[in-house]
C-alpha cells in the first residue's frame, strides 16, 4: 500500500533529474566540437552491431558451407615429382 503513493512521487523526482544535471544531448550541441563527437559516436554505435552480425554471418557461412565436390588428387611422392620434372626437361630439349 505504501508503494502505491510513493511511485508517482519517485517518477516526478526522476523526471526533473535530467534538467538538474543538464543531461539533454540537444542542449550540448551548441559547441561544434561536441556535435562532431556526437555524430562520430552515433556512427560507431550504429556500425559496431552491424559489423558484429556481419562477421558472425560470414563465419557461419564459411564454417557450414559445402566444400567443393571436385575429387582431390592423391599427393605425389617426391620421387614421382622429380621424375615428371626430368621428363619435361628432356621433352623440351
Amino acid at each position: 500500500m505504501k508503494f502505491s503513493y510513493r511511485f508517482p512521487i519517485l517518477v516526478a523526482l526522476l523526471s526533473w533529474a535530467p534538467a538538474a544535471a543538464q543531461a539533454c544531448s540537444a542542449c550540448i550541441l551548441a559547441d561544434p566540437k561536441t556535435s562532431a563527437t556526437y555524430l562520430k559516436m552515433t556512427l560507431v554505435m550504429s556500425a559496431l552491431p552491424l559489423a558484429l552480425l556481419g562477421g558472425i554471418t560470414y563465419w557461419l557461412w564459411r564454417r557450414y558451407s559445402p566444400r567443393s565436390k571436385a575429387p582431390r588428387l592423391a599427393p605425389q611422392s617426391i620421387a614421382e615429382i622429380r621424375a615428371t620434372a626430368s621428363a619435361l626437361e628432356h621433352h623440351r630439349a
Side-chain angles (χ1 to χ4, degrees):
M1 288 293 197
K2 292 182 181 182
F3 181 74
S4 63
Y5 71 88
R6 288 184 185 172
F7 184 71
I9 295 172
L10 180 65
V11 169
L13 288 174
L14 289 177
S15 68
W16 291 324
Q22 296 179 356
C24 175
S25 63
C27 299
I28 300 172
L29 291 178
D31 184 17
K33 186 177 179 182
T34 306
S35 78
T37 303
Y38 273 106
L39 177 63
K40 289 175 187 175
M41 288 312 299
T42 300
L43 294 174
V44 167
M45 289 189 303
S46 297
L48 280 177
L50 295 174
L52 180 68
L53 287 174
I56 290 171
T57 303
Y58 177 72
W59 177 76
L60 288 171
W61 176 70
R62 292 283 302 200
R63 174 87 168 94
Y64 295 107
S65 67
R67 302 288 184 229
S68 174
K69 300 295 182 192
R72 291 184 133 188
L73 299 175
Q76 296 177 339
S77 67
I78 295 176
E80 291 174 340
I81 294 172
R82 286 184 181 157
T84 305
S86 67
L88 288 174
E89 287 177 6
H90 291 300
H91 181 66
R92 290 183 188 167

